[in-house]
């Protein structure tokens, strides 16, 4: 059902069975997938590409103009994947000429008052707790959980299956499967509960522990530690993922315990 008290540009593409509450505004260059529910007082601006079966709560703004002084009005997008929930007052800015699009993956939960800046890329099943703030071009991989009130510096990379404590200040990359906490942000162990919930076996968890023991507790610098990991531990997808993450880190990896 679409309320009679909405403003929808005639060029907007609205899929079947979409619900739109009163006092919502939808611009012309917008696509909304089947079965999505949009509550009252939502603003969806040019460049929004919203998937199927999403839920968008009051006060959210999707595809707002980037808060970047380099932006010159280029045509860009903000993509929201299928099944994603944007809670109250979430803001997702569209991309700039740098990447061209901001992406929030499928089945994510972005809680109230979170901000996803221009050109960020979030994977699937990401959870951002209340009032998290992502600066521009941050990458968050699948199944990461970010605690409430966390601030993430531009260009940081948060790996898959990571758990980050609330109120964290993140200015370094956080590799996959770990818990990160303290000030400055540091490795404090594996996200063991999260990994078990996601179906990781005991053998896989022990493998991850062995890798991070060498990375963070061997006394080697990270480059040499990665070499040691590749020399001494069997090649697996998990080993390759972690080593690749560390080698390709542009901002540097968080410190160990």
């Amino acid at each position: 059902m679409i309320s009679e008290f909405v403003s929808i540009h005639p060029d907007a593409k609205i899929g079947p069975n979409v619900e739109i509450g009163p006092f919502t505004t939808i611009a012309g260059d917008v696509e909304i997938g089947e079965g999505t529910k949009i509550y009252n007082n939502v603003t969806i601006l040019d460049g929004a590409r919203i998937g199927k079966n999403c839920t968008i709560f009051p006060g959210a703004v999707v595809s707002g103009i980037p808060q970047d002084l380099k932006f010159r009005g280029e045509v860009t997008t903000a993509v929201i994947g299928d099944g994603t929930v944007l809670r109250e007052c979430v803001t997702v800015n569209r991309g700039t000429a740098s990447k061209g699009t901001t992406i929030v993956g499928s089945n994510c939960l972005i809680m109230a008052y979170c901000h996803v800046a221009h050109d960020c890329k979030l994977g699937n099943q990401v959870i951002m707790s209340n009032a998290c703030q992502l600066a521009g071009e941050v990458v968050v991989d699948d199944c990461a959980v970010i605690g409430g009130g966390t601030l993430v510096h531009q260009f940081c990379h948060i790996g898959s299956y990571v758990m980050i404590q609330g109120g964290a200040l993140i200015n370094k990359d956080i590799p996959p499967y770990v818990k990160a906490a303290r000030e400055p942000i540091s490795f404090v162990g594996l996200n063991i509960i999260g990994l078990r919930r996601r179906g990781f076996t005991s053998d896989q968890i022990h493998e991850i522990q062995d890798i991070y023991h060498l990375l963070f507790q061997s006394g080697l610098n990270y480059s040499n530690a990665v070499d040691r990991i590749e020399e001494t531990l069997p090649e697996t997808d998990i080993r390759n993922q972690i080593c690749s993450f560390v080698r390709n880190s542009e901002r540097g990896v968080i410190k160990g315990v």
Side-chain angles (χ1 to χ4, degrees), residues 53-217:
N53 302 311
C54 296
T55 306
I56 303 178
F57 281 75
V61 181
V62 180
S63 201
I65 290 172
Q67 298 173 108
D68 184 340
L69 295 177
K70 298 187 297 297
F71 182 71
R72 294 292 182 267
E74 53 265 29
V75 176
T76 56
T77 57
V79 177
I80 310 296
D82 295 345
T84 284
V85 176
L86 305 181
R87 292 301 304 245
E88 295 82 355
C89 300
V90 165
T91 52
V92 180
N93 289 170
R94 61 188 175 100
T96 68
S98 175
K99 297 289 192 296
T101 189
T102 302
I103 299 174
V104 178
S106 297
N107 300 307
C108 296
L109 172 57
I110 314 299
M111 297 187 194
Y113 295 97
C114 288
H115 175 66
V116 180
H118 65 88
D119 303 293
C120 287
K121 183 179 180 182
L122 278 62
N124 301 323
Q125 300 183 58
V126 169
I127 298 174
M128 292 174 57
S129 298
N130 294 57
C132 292
Q133 311 291 299
L134 304 186
E137 303 192 45
V138 167
V139 176
V140 183
D141 292 335
D142 293 349
C143 304
V145 178
I146 305 176
T150 294
L151 307 179
V152 185
H153 194 282
Q154 61 186 354
F155 305 117
C156 283
H157 186 181
I158 297 172
S160 54
Y161 303 95
V162 160
M163 170 71 76
I164 299 170
Q165 79 163 15
L169 304 178
I170 297 175
N171 59 5
K172 297 287 187 180
D173 294 342
I174 301 178
Y177 311 119
V178 308
K179 292 189 296 185
R182 301 178 181 159
E183 173 56 35
I185 193 72
S186 306
F187 168 82
V188 295
L190 298 191
N191 182 19
I192 292 176
I193 293 175
L195 293 175
R196 287 174 175 161
R197 287 175 175 170
R198 295 287 184 175
F200 283 74
T201 67
S202 294
D203 286 344
Q204 288 173 316
I205 292 171
H206 289 146
E207 176 190 356
I208 296 167
Q209 288 174 324
D210 291 341
I211 292 169
Y212 281 116
H213 179 80
L214 285 172
L215 185 68
F216 289 123
Q217 297 176 299

